[in-house]
Amino acid sequence: MTSIEPVVLSVDGHGGDHGEQVVVAACLEALRADSSLEIRVCGIPDRLEKAVTAGSGPQNSRQSIRDRLTVVPATDILAMDVKPVAVLRRGQGSSMWQAFDEVASGRAQACVSGGNTGAMMALGVKLLGLLEGIQRPALMAHFPSATGYVAMLDLGANLNVSAAQLVQFAVMGAVAFDESRKILGENADPAIGLLNVGHEDGKGHELVKSAHGMLKALPLNYTGFIEGHDLFAGKVDVAVCDGFSGNLVLKSSEGLARMLFQELGKAFKSTFRARMGAALASQSIGKLVERFDPAAHNGAPLLGLNGVAVKSHGGADCRAMTRAILEAGQQARRKVPGRIEALIREYRLEAKE
Amino acid sequence: MTSIEPVVLSVDGHGGDHGEQVVVAACLEALRADSSLEIRVCGIPDRLEKAVTAGSGPQNSRQSIRDRLTVVPATDILAMDVKPVAVLRRGQGSSMWQAFDEVASGRAQACVSGGNTGAMMALGVKLLGLLEGIQRPALMAHFPSATGYVAMLDLGANLNVSAAQLVQFAVMGAVAFDESRKILGENADPAIGLLNVGHEDGKGHELVKSAHGMLKALPLNYTGFIEGHDLFAGKVDVAVCDGFSGNLVLKSSEGLARMLFQELGKAFKSTFRARMGAALASQSIGKLVERFDPAAHNGAPLLGLNGVAVKSHGGADCRAMTRAILEAGQQARRKVPGRIEALIREYRLEAKE
């Protein structure tokens, strides 16, 4: 990969179900993939050192890779089911706290964790702070659509939202949407849609109707209400919704895709003819499966904070965690927080709270 | 198909985007598939007669089929974007009103329409009435899952719900779930799950937490909170949620499945080897596509009314509309409304409103 703007990332060494081994392996993999990256991995030092040694196989043994990985000592790790309030009270010294503190202190430009979402939100707000005009952070992710990619937010950080917050999500999504992922369309401004049960102005509950009116008044490329089926049809670049619905849509879609590929696998094994066919079509089908593999899209930025924080899936394997780390690098290089703040100011939304 | 308990259905002759032709063709197809069915199709008489003549091809020309189809005259048809309040004021004489009136007057045991959902709800409540203990009707549908089928409700009839209403949905779903669609598991009581952003008791907003507590206290086979990915994994028979989230999950899932099958089709055409493979595997893949075709699952009962009403997709083709008509027959034979009322009474929920 060509060398671009250098970025320092901090990574929570114990975020997720798999512990240090997977995280460290992913750090090494990300450093190998992006030579202008530097990583500060936070955690219990001896465990991390052990993982670094284990992960430094022939591919990662080059000094240039190891030199760009620094262990930042933490005294504790947070449980996956930790309560946000407990993190704020007693979380100092934990690997997640350290990872956020690296960004807060300016030693890193972005942090990554596979830990508890609520804990990440609490630490993000405490240590990085909210951008002016943003009431709550929101989780966003990119998914493959028929025409390229669609970004959706919020994915579960906010279960109850106000119309003003939905508008803030739209502004954050417009900035954070990765333009390089847009395959069709030459319009520079990402097309934003608000998820609803119908396309017409009168459809939906008061919350979405109110946000709809506010969004129409802004100079965003707001295309109006979209329905669930528009999401994967590639009608918009960014889909906005409350975190409860967004979380259900995200997880049900992941579950459906997984089930369909499993059933496809079964169908390919069901008869001798099907097995022959599968062997012939395997390369083409493999590409398709890869494109829709959730691991290939892991790494959800927690937007609205005064700094870049990326949430990795708790069950992420090495490949998925590597994706989340590289996503954090992208968000930092694209200076997403500063651009969100500028747009909020341009739209004079910070005064409307 | 073997002859079972005779059922008379009323069908809205102009429900949906395709007009009378498709509806009448579906009526004839349903009558052919189920010889103990009788259908009263409501609409503008000459248009319906014309459609009957057009639809009576060699397959449907037998007198036994035509004899079981009666045209019920209506003076008007409702627009797809009609407002519920307008239907209540000026909808009398419309084909949808007639279809509901057939059930209200006892001439039919169930009605089917592909028209506007809000109009169906309004007419359902006005002409059939709500069951005692039910505050609002809810839309339910069955979807294929990894282990068989899962039923989900509400799918969009109620955008804002109370905890008590979620409990009512659970009771209605337990009764309306089609046990014959259960492939695995010997338990006679359908397993009910409440959709949420996490499995643990403390997760989610106040609404789902409150409904969770109420459901645990009932003698239903309530398995607790489920997440989006549990839906298609076959962990429960019935998944309960508010209509806003349910509608987004339903439509995004349909959209995702459609997109994946389209991409699969493209992958199969991408290379010569893939085309050869596709030809060999076509039978096995065809079965899979058929199983997940939304048309094969069309027909969502509007539960909670004192009579059976089934909503067909507005864009349903003949095959999909036939499915909805047959679903209405099943709901009537299974005496779903009476059984819901009995269970509500058994659980003493009618007094808790």
Side-chain angles (χ1 to χ4, degrees), chain B residues 166-236:
Chain B
L166 288 174
V167 173
Q168 291 160 22
F169 296 172
V171 173
M172 297 199 288
V175 172
F177 174 72
D178 184 353
E179 301 270 339
S180 69
R181 302 223 196 175
K182 205 169 173 178
I183 292 181
L184 296 177
E186 289 159 44
N187 196 330
D189 290 335
I192 317 281
L194 182 60
L195 274 163
N196 193 10
V197 299
H199 292 118
E200 303 81 7
D201 273 6
K203 287 284 174 84
H205 44 43
E206 286 313 311
L207 180 70
V208 288
K209 281 194 261 191
S210 168
H212 182 60
M214 290 157 83
L215 283 166
K216 281 200 283 191
L218 287 179
L220 281 170
N221 182 14
Y222 175 61
T223 64
F225 286 138
I226 55 169
E227 295 190 50
H229 49 84
D230 298 324
L231 203 55
F232 298 103
K235 287 207 178 168
V236 294

Side-chain angles (χ1 to χ4, degrees), chain B residues 68-344:
Chain B
R68 287 183 283 125
L69 184 66
T70 308
V71 168
V72 177
T75 52
D76 197 10
I77 52 173
L78 298 178
M80 278 305 279
D81 60 352
V82 67
K83 293 266 174 296
V85 61
V87 177
L88 293 179
R89 278 196 208 142
R90 299 183 297 273
Q92 198 159 7
S94 67
S95 59
M96 193 195 283
W97 185 298
Q98 285 302 118
F100 274 94
D101 190 56
E102 290 290 306
V103 180
S105 66
R107 289 187 294 274
Q109 288 142 275
C111 64
V112 182
S113 174
N116 179 296
T117 307
M120 283 187 72
M121 283 184 67
L123 286 181
V125 172
K126 183 183 171 74
L127 299 177
L128 304 180
L130 284 165
L131 293 171
E132 203 186 343
I134 301 293
Q135 291 162 307
R136 298 262 298 170
L139 271 175
M140 185 185 96
H142 288 85
F143 306 96
S145 77
T147 56
Y149 287 89
V150 60
M152 185 162 77
L153 76 167
D154 174 37
L155 297 178
N158 307 277
L159 305 185
N160 294 303
V161 300
S162 65
Q165 282 173 298
L166 288 174
V167 173
Q168 291 160 22
F169 296 172
V171 173
M172 297 199 288
V175 172
F177 174 72
D178 184 353
E179 301 270 339
S180 69
R181 302 223 196 175
K182 205 169 173 178
I183 292 181
L184 296 177
E186 289 159 44
N187 196 330
D189 290 335
I192 317 281
L194 182 60
L195 274 163
N196 193 10
V197 299
H199 292 118
E200 303 81 7
D201 273 6
K203 287 284 174 84
H205 44 43
E206 286 313 311
L207 180 70
V208 288
K209 281 194 261 191
S210 168
H212 182 60
M214 290 157 83
L215 283 166
K216 281 200 283 191
L218 287 179
L220 281 170
N221 182 14
Y222 175 61
T223 64
F225 286 138
I226 55 169
E227 295 190 50
H229 49 84
D230 298 324
L231 203 55
F232 298 103
K235 287 207 178 168
V236 294
D237 297 308
V238 179
V240 174
C241 65
D242 68 274
F244 188 84
S245 308
N247 188 276
L248 295 191
V249 167
L250 165 75
K251 289 181 184 163
S252 60
S253 299
E254 283 181 358
L256 175 61
R258 196 179 308 126
M259 197 245 312
L260 284 177
F261 284 123
Q262 275 165 1
E263 295 295 318
L264 186 65
K266 279 190 219 164
F268 273 138
K269 282 180 196 137
S270 60
T271 64
F272 179 69
R273 282 174 65 91
R275 279 194 292 277
M276 293 265 292
L280 285 166
S282 63
Q283 209 179 7
S284 303
I285 303 299
K287 274 188 208 162
L288 180 68
V289 174
E290 206 178 291
R291 189 174 150 212
F292 289 96
D293 180 2
H297 313 289
N298 186 39
L302 192 56
L303 301 171
L305 299 171
N306 193 11
V308 175
V310 168
K311 154 101 186 120
S312 167
H313 194 287
D317 61 9
C318 177
R319 182 164 158 254
M321 186 70 192
T322 305
R323 249 302 297 145
I325 295 171
L326 295 173
E327 174 70 28
Q330 287 306 321
Q331 292 276 324
R333 284 192 179 109
R334 294 176 54 236
K335 300 186 180 12
V336 168
R339 287 170 53 214
I340 289 175
E341 196 161 40
L343 207 57
I344 289 279

Side-chain angles (χ1 to χ4, degrees), chain A residues 36-112:
Chain A
S36 44
L37 218 58
E38 214 177 289
I39 295 180
R40 299 173 62 79
V41 58
C42 311
I44 316 289
D46 55 340
R47 288 204 219 165
L48 288 177
E49 299 291 359
K50 220 165 115 185
V52 171
T53 311
S56 299
Q59 285 195 311
N60 298 319
S61 62
R62 277 190 299 133
Q63 200 58 34
S64 68
I65 290 177
R66 293 280 299 274
D67 280 354
R68 288 183 282 126
L69 185 65
T70 308
V71 168
V72 177
T75 53
D76 197 10
I77 51 173
L78 298 177
M80 280 303 281
D81 60 351
V82 67
K83 293 266 174 293
V85 61
V87 178
L88 293 179
R89 278 195 207 144
R90 299 182 299 272
Q92 198 158 8
S94 68
S95 59
M96 193 195 285
W97 185 298
Q98 286 301 118
F100 274 94
D101 190 56
E102 290 290 305
V103 180
S105 66
R107 289 187 295 273
Q109 289 143 273
C111 63
V112 182

